[in-house]
């Protein structure tokens, strides 16, 4: 089949796991003989990540990548954010999607590509929307109200102002609901995320298809990237990711360090509080993370906000390294399915879990090995792509059977 993936961010012009998941699926479909075109927006990346990276060649992986940009620069995605419609790139997107002869047009993170106003593009192709975030029901995407708490109920305008973003007044209209009728199938990343969408008023059914966490780990164990035992954290350095809650715990673990991969608005503040036990590695490309996962005592995932999945968890399990995750969102399902880690709710429980892994490495290896087997059964790219393709085929059959003769 011929696929077109429409996504705001795509590597190397990305910083989050959603773009990595899109790339992994695109590459796996290509490996299986399908054709994939990816359309993404350079101006959106520049708007959120100045200065923009210089032009970088995309890898020769068989994927046709179309990078959109405009002389208006960051004004272009701002117009989309405010209107919920593709304005600057409307004609180009209409031509690409309607006339490209695609079998499937999959909108991924399309919030700054065209908002819901792009959902009707695609000609006769099957239209799929994959909810990498909670953007369908949340203007800030992450259900993290006022930058300080998980969202129990909507107070969207005040919340957007707390993020210093102009309110999306189009959300007060029926644009999202009317545009969503053009989508044939909605995909949620987890059972938890599907339930949250429903709780916050999204009325369409969603099919659960988890993202791929990579291919089975086959790396040869080399030397550890760090001279002392360490725990590992990978993610954006923002308050919702919860790294600030881990740093005080380290003082009770004098023989163990914490390695941190990522960047964000809290980077300088966290570095000032980290102390000698914390090593900040900066933003690392996904392909360079394996040694850090592999040699860690455990990977700590302390997120405070609702994730749609837990890509860091399955990436760690892929390398045979157990996880310590906060008991929130989709994390309990991943830990239960893998038997590859421990959950915690309080700082004391986090400390107990870290002490147990640091003091009993055989226990950690046992859980890590369970997690690695679970990864190969549930979350490697070929498995999740198979679930995705079955979902697409079912949706195509349903569309054919419901069409008038």
């Amino acid at each position: 089949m011929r696929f077109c993936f429409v996504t705001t961010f795509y590597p190397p012009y990305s910083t989050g796991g959603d773009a990595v998941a899109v790339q992994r699926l695109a590459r796996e479909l290509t490996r299986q003989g399908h054709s994939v075109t990816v359309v993404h927006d350079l101006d959106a990346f520049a708007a959120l990540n100045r200065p923009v990276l210089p032009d970088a060649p995309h890898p020769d992986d068989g994927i046709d990548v179309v990078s959109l940009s405009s002389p208006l620069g960051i004004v272009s995605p701002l117009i989309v954010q405010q209107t919920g419609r593709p304005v600057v790139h409307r004609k180009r997107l209409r031509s690409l999607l309607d006339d490209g002869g695609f079998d499937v047009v999959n909108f991924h993170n399309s919030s700054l590509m065209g908002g819901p106003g792009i959902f009707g593009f695609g000609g006769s192709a099957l239209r799929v929307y994959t909810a990498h975030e909670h953007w369908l029901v949340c203007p800030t995407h992450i259900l993290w109200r006022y930058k300080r708490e998980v969202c129990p109920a909507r107070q969207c305008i005040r919340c957007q102002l707390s993020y210093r973003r102009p309110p999306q007044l189009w959300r007060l209209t029926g644009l999202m609901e009317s545009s969503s009728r053009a989508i044939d199938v909605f995909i949620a990343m987890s059972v938890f995320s599907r339930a949250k969408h429903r709780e916050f008023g999204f009325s369409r059914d969603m099919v659960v298809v988890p993202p791929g966490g990579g291919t089975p780990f086959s790396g040869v164990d080399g030397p550890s990237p760090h001279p002392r035992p360490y725990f590992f954290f990978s993610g954006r350095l923002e308050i919702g990711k919860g790294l600030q809650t881990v740093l005080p715990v380290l003082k009770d673990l004098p023989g163990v360090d914490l390695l941190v991969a990522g960047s964000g608005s809290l980077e300088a503040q966290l570095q000032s509080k980290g102390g000698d036990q914390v090593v900040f590695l900066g933003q690392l490309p996904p392909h360079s993370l394996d040694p850090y996962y592999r040699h860690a005592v455990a990977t700590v995932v302390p997120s405070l906000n609702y994730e749609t999945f837990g890509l860091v968890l399955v990436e760690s399990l892929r390398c045979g390294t157990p996880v310590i995750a906060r008991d929130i969102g989709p994390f309990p399902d991943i830990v239960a399915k893998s038997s590859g880690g421990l959950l915690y709710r309080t700082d004391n429980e986090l400390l107990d879990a870290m002490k147990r892994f640091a003091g009993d490495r055989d226990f950690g290896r046992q859980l890590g090995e369970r997690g690695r087997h679970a990864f190969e059964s549930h979350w490697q790219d070929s498995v999740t792509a198979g679930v995705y393709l079955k979902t697409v085929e079912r949706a195509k059959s349903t569309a054919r059977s419901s069409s008038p003769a």
Side-chain angles (χ1 to χ4, degrees):
M1 288 185 287
R2 297 195 66 220
F3 291 85
C4 182
F5 286 178
V6 182
T7 177
T8 299
F9 306 114
Y10 191 73
Y13 304 104
S14 62
T15 58
D18 56 338
V20 173
V22 173
Q23 186 179 59
R24 283 176 178 158
L25 178 58
R27 286 177 169 175
E28 182 60 33
L29 293 176
T30 302
R31 278 194 289 266
Q32 295 188 22
H34 303 283
S35 169
V36 181
T37 297
V38 174
V39 184
H40 73 109
D41 194 299
L42 287 174
D43 295 329
F45 180 81
L48 299 175
N49 302 274
R50 297 180 201 172
V52 67
L53 291 176
D55 290 340
H58 288 278
D60 184 18
D61 52 13
I63 299 167
D64 181 22
V65 179
V66 179
S67 303
L68 300 181
S69 62
S70 162
L72 295 178
I74 65 174
V75 174
S76 173
L78 177 62
I79 293 173
V80 176
Q81 193 263 357
Q82 281 295 283
T83 65
R85 293 175 171 86
V87 177
V88 176
H89 295 303
R90 179 183 180 84
K91 187 178 294 186
R92 178 86 187 279
L93 286 167
R94 177 70 80 177
S95 175
L96 282 169
L97 303 185
D98 288 3
D99 303 331
F102 298 110
D103 299 295
V104 179
V105 172
N106 195 154
F107 302 99
H108 291 274
N109 179 0
S110 59
S111 59
L112 297 180
M113 285 290 292
I118 202 176
F119 290 172
F121 293 13
S124 60
L126 184 82
R127 297 182 184 89
V128 180
Y129 182 88
T130 301
H132 292 267
E133 297 178 323
H134 290 110
W135 170 77
L136 291 171
V137 295
C138 174
T140 67
H141 301 213
I142 56 176
L143 295 175
W144 182 243
R145 195 168 71 172
Y146 305 137
K147 288 188 174 182
R148 64 171 185 257
E149 62 186 6
V150 291
C151 183
R154 293 181 183 231
Q155 295 179 0
C156 295
I157 292 180
R158 288 173 56 196
C159 182
Q160 289 174 84
L161 292 174
S162 74
Y163 279 79
R164 297 184 178 179
R165 298 177 185 175
Q168 295 177 320
L169 298 181
W170 63 261
R171 286 184 179 267
L172 302 178
T173 71
L175 178 61
M176 180 67 81
E177 182 177 355
S178 61
S179 299
S180 296
R181 299 186 190 119
I183 300 295
D184 296 294
V185 58
F186 283 90
I187 291 176
M189 311 294 272
S190 63
V191 173
F192 172 85
S193 180
R194 179 174 62 183
K196 276 297 166 187
H197 277 85
R198 188 173 298 147
E199 178 186 333
F200 278 81
F202 189 70
S203 59
R204 292 288 301 276
D205 290 336
M206 303 183 82
V207 180
V208 176
V209 180
T215 56
F217 181 78
S218 58
V220 177
D221 281 341
S224 173
H226 190 68
R228 281 161 46 96
Y230 66 90
F231 292 95
F232 187 51
F233 170 94
S234 177
R236 295 192 304 275
L237 303 186
E238 306 291 345
I239 190 169
K241 293 296 184 179
L243 178 61
Q244 69 278 4
T245 66
V246 181
L247 301 185
V249 174
L250 288 174
K251 68 179 185 298
D252 293 314
L253 293 161
V256 187
D257 293 339
L258 175 68
L259 270 56
V260 176
S263 61
S265 63
L266 295 183
E267 187 167 0
Q269 178 183 336
L270 292 170
Q271 286 179 343
S272 67
K273 297 179 179 180
D276 295 337
Q277 287 177 264
V278 185
V279 178
F280 289 87
L281 305 169
Q283 186 72 38
L284 300 178
H287 62 80
S288 68
L289 294 175
D290 279 1
Y292 295 99
Y293 279 125
R294 180 64 174 169
H295 292 280
V297 174
T299 298
V300 182
V301 191
S303 294
L304 297 165
N305 62 309
Y306 294 135
E307 308 275 2
T308 54
F309 187 63
L311 204 56
V312 170
L313 277 75
V314 299
E315 287 176 346
S316 180
L317 297 177
R318 167 184 173 270
C319 294
T321 298
V323 297
I324 303 172
R326 193 180 296 275
D327 189 0
I328 190 174
F331 299 167
D333 286 343
I334 295 173
V335 172
K337 183 175 286 189
S338 66
S339 299
L342 298 176
L343 297 170
Y344 74 93
R345 294 185 179 181
T346 67
D347 291 347
N348 286 336
E349 290 177 355
L350 170 61
L351 176 59
D352 289 343
M354 295 176 76
K355 282 183 174 179
R356 183 168 187 187
F357 280 122
D360 189 349
R361 300 301 295 274
D362 287 338
F363 174 70
R365 280 188 283 269
Q366 182 181 23
L367 266 61
E369 190 65 12
R370 291 177 188 171
R372 187 179 64 81
H373 288 302
F375 168 85
E376 294 175 0
S377 298
H378 301 293
W379 299 301
Q380 65 169 301
D381 291 347
S382 60
V383 173
T384 56
V387 178
Y388 173 83
L389 288 170
K390 288 179 181 178
T391 299
V392 166
E393 290 291 354
R394 282 196 298 267
K396 289 178 67 176
S397 298
T398 301
R400 285 195 296 265
S401 63
S402 61
S403 299

